[in-house]
Amino acid sequence: MKISIRLLLVLTAMAFAPVFTTAQNVEEGKKLFEANCTSCHQVHQEVVGPALKDVDKRRDEAWLIKWVKNSQAVIKSGDAYAVALANKYNNSVMTSFGSLKDGEIKSIFAYIKEEGKKAPVVDGPKDAEKPG
């Protein structure tokens, strides 16, 4: 059986496409996270809102997308988890990101998942601050 070079190249590209797409999604997600989320969230540490490490284990993707697009609507629907979350954070209103596309939100999740695999960064004293 003879395989053409073109077919071989296409098959090779298809095999590596998920790797490139994932890396691209994580990079896009990082940019979106930094532009939209960091004023209230970090991955490993609670800020104004919850730490986002393992958020994909707490809620499914469809729920999270609805939450990011309009958390107040999810709370008003009576969703028990959403109401408990709102109560825990003193009913702070999360900004609605209705203009983000589902794919962009999924990129943010991809970034959070990758960052969640890393050890948290702990800020220690700087060299200039150490007694000498």
Side-chain angles (χ1 to χ4, degrees), residues 50-110:
L52 297 178
K53 181 181 188 295
D54 295 332
V55 70
D56 60 310
K57 295 177 182 170
R58 297 192 292 264
R59 296 280 97 184
D60 67 36
E61 188 176 80
W63 189 96
L64 290 167
I65 289 171
K66 287 180 193 174
W67 177 263
V68 170
K69 287 189 173 194
N70 190 344
S71 63
Q72 291 302 299
V74 180
I75 293 165
K76 288 177 184 171
S77 76
D79 180 284
Y81 186 85
V83 171
L85 193 59
N87 290 336
K88 180 177 180 179
Y89 291 94
N90 299 316
N91 293 308
S92 296
V93 176
M94 180 173 146
T95 302
S96 294
F97 294 99
S99 63
L100 289 176
K101 296 178 182 121
D102 290 5
E104 292 172 318
I105 296 170
K106 290 176 185 180
S107 292
I108 294 170
F109 299 155

Side-chain angles (χ1 to χ4, degrees), residues 6-80:
R6 177 178 276 173
L7 178 59
L8 188 59
L9 289 173
V10 169
L11 292 174
T12 302
M14 288 174 55
F16 287 103
V19 174
F20 296 132
T21 302
T22 301
Q24 181 181 4
N25 289 348
V26 170
E27 189 58 36
E28 177 189 22
K30 179 181 181 181
K31 290 175 186 172
L32 289 166
F33 184 84
E34 289 173 349
N36 296 290
C37 310
T38 57
S39 62
C40 297
H41 296 282
Q42 289 187 16
V43 175
H44 294 283
Q45 182 178 330
E46 189 173 286
V47 186
V48 174
L52 297 178
K53 181 181 188 295
D54 295 332
V55 70
D56 60 310
K57 295 177 182 170
R58 297 192 292 264
R59 296 280 97 184
D60 67 36
E61 188 176 80
W63 189 96
L64 290 167
I65 289 171
K66 287 180 193 174
W67 177 263
V68 170
K69 287 189 173 194
N70 190 344
S71 63
Q72 291 302 299
V74 180
I75 293 165
K76 288 177 184 171
S77 76
D79 180 284

